[in-house]
Amino acid sequence: MPRTIVVTSALPYANGPIHIGHLVEYIQTDIWIRFHRMCGNRCFYFCADDTHGTPIMISARKAGIAPEQFIAKIHKEHSADFAGFHVDFDNYYTTHSPENKTLSELIFNRLNEAGSIVKHPVGQTYCEVDQMPLPDRYVRGTCPRCGAVDQYGDSCEVCGATYRTVDLVQPRCSLCGTPPVFQTSEHYFFKLADYEKQLKDLFAAGYTQKSVANKLDEWFQAGLKDWDISRDGPYFGFKIPGEDNKYFYVWLDAPIGYMASARNYCERNGLNFDELWNSPANELYHFIGKDIMYFHALFWPAMLMGSGFKTANKLFVHGFLTVNGEKMSKSRGTFIKASTYARHLDPEYLRYYYASKLTDAVEDIDLSFQDFVGKVNSDLVGKYANLASRSGPMLARQFNSRLGTLDEDGRQLLARLTAVKEQIVEGYEGLNYATVVRTIGALADDANRYVEQNQPWTTAKTDPQKALTTLTAVLNAVRVLTIYLKPILPQFAQKVEKFLSIDPLQFADVDKILENHQIGAFERLFERVDEEKVTAMVEESKEGQTPAAAAPVAPVVPGIEPIKPECTIDDFAKIDLRVARVVSAEKVAGADKLLHLVLDVGVAQKNVMAGIAKAYAPESLVGRHVVLFANLKPRQMKFGLSEGMILASGPGGTEIFVLAPDAGAKPGQKIS
RNA sequence: GGCGGUGUAGCUCAGUUGGUUAGAGCAUGGGAUUCAUAAGCCCAGGGUCGGUGGUUCGAAUCCACCCGCCGCUACCA
């Protein structure tokens, strides 16, 4: 009896491009869906762009277009990116849709009727210039604890303090730079705690992986608090029923977007949405990253419980992607967009590589370029593609592309391949793709050894019949391996199906044997990957660089550093240089190069550790004006916190020459 | 700070309920081949399984402590 399975991946935020980190999840989910389809189950894969909220409103403003236009453009890009990586959604919709509006209002009203919605006054930050309420991350100012400048409105990246935005020293709107005002507003809240018991039962029943459940325990122990689900206008989102200037917070309507996508699909395809989504006979699964566990493990099921919808059977949580062991980084060129990747490399390489690393654990997976190139060349090309490549053309030359029958040896090879079918099925079902890939790899080794032992290139001359049975066995092995790999490598599978002249492979085909069958022309299945292509992709991903712009070669003069690559006025604008007066200067005990300077920059005083002790006597500096790199991220040094850098030239040691403005400049003045 | 995760060959990772000389792929060295996308096959080198102590006849596997790295710390998206 086929299962009916509805699956979702998290909705990507419509504020930027899809990158290779996103793709971990969509590839993981897509493999799962394709596997189930191959087992004959009825599957539906729904997703959408997450389109609401302040960041999108601001991005649209910056682009000078309406938010609707902005998200339409992103939707087009996202859809193309996913298609390029063979992510096979049944519907890739948007949260800015009539279906989502209707469902959001329905769920809100039902929660309200259930008594789970309350109102509380909330202090909020408002920018009168931009005429909008500011989320904490759009307010910046000086940390009230350590004095670090330019910190977010809720926490300090330098000392780690968390605080309220109202406590920030010299707060300013990060968009226009003016000080915001503080005001009070009534917000709607969802009483999450009403559902604590039901949520606990859900997790006890195995809603998530165990490590996720442990994390949830922590949250339960800390106590569930009311969730703020409204935002004051202007806001890009859905208006709350009965309100003029209040909107649903983006995270309220985002998960409802899963349902809206399903509903839109049902309406277009003559299916009953309520039956598909809500029938207990149907299975529902969400795939998400560990960063949004709170929303999907607590808020979302509680919302569904409170509004009379069933909750998912299971929430599958995965970890993040690191590249070469480190966080993805724009400056290192490892923040790679899906579209950039696809311009340089075959998307199936990445699908295979991710599959070879994915397990059901909530662990980060690492994309190591060296490992990536190795796996593609030795596995995809050396094992799988090669198996077809060393048998197909020979069958064509010697036997007119017609398969014979199997002998005992060949049947044994096939038996070894089909024996692990259940193991592979369990691996896919349980998200242990890494195990699946390892198992398949071992089978391919077995098949390659089989070719080696039977030497069809020799028997072709002495015993053609034997050569034919060998090649028949090998190509049957290719067929079985392709079935196993098809969820991961759909395009590869398609090529093999064409080459073998067979119908699209299903899991049940594992037990069939292809004999006395005419096959098609062999076509190369994979190309080897050159490490230079990876390098080129990384270079193109480095921020601020355009692929074609070769930096002019700077002339080399002995003793003088070459001029660095060109940058723009915008790059320079990030650097805030100020005139500063040296208030005090003293040698740092225990350090022979450092001077501890206290600088007056007009609005504040800064501590700076400067490595100029060998060139300047401390007392000679007091009272002088210097140039300060004022917005350099503060750095905790062995001898204290340094909050900036003073500018100087010279090779170092005793030859250091501090820069100074001409007479008349005052502390705090901007240098540009 | 608290909580969670993690640390196994140069690299990426497996190691089932604790059980004989700790495995794979890549990389490295050697060999025999040539059907094949400089692919495939055979052999070899390489690890005190983060550290210390403990439980046990026996621990990479269980316990304690320590060290390193990563993440989370909610009304931020």
Side-chain angles (χ1 to χ4, degrees), chain A residues 19 79 140 163 175 233 243 278 384 402 422 458 544 585 651 668:
Chain A
H19 55 69
S79 300
R140 310 212 67 161
Y163 39 77
L175 303 173
E243 289 284 353
N278 225 21
Y384 311 127
R402 188 166 180 84
E422 282 313 309
T458 307

Side-chain angles (χ1 to χ4, degrees), chain A residues 211-224:
Chain A
S211 60
V212 176
N214 290 342
K215 186 73 193 168
L216 287 164
D217 264 347
E218 256 180 64
W219 286 332
F220 282 125
Q221 278 168 29
L224 301 181

Side-chain angles (χ1 to χ4, degrees), chain A residues 478-492:
Chain A
V478 168
R479 200 188 93 258
V480 174
L481 289 173
T482 302
I483 295 172
Y484 290 159
L485 286 167
K486 190 173 175 181
I488 300 169
L489 305 170
Q491 203 162 58
F492 164 82

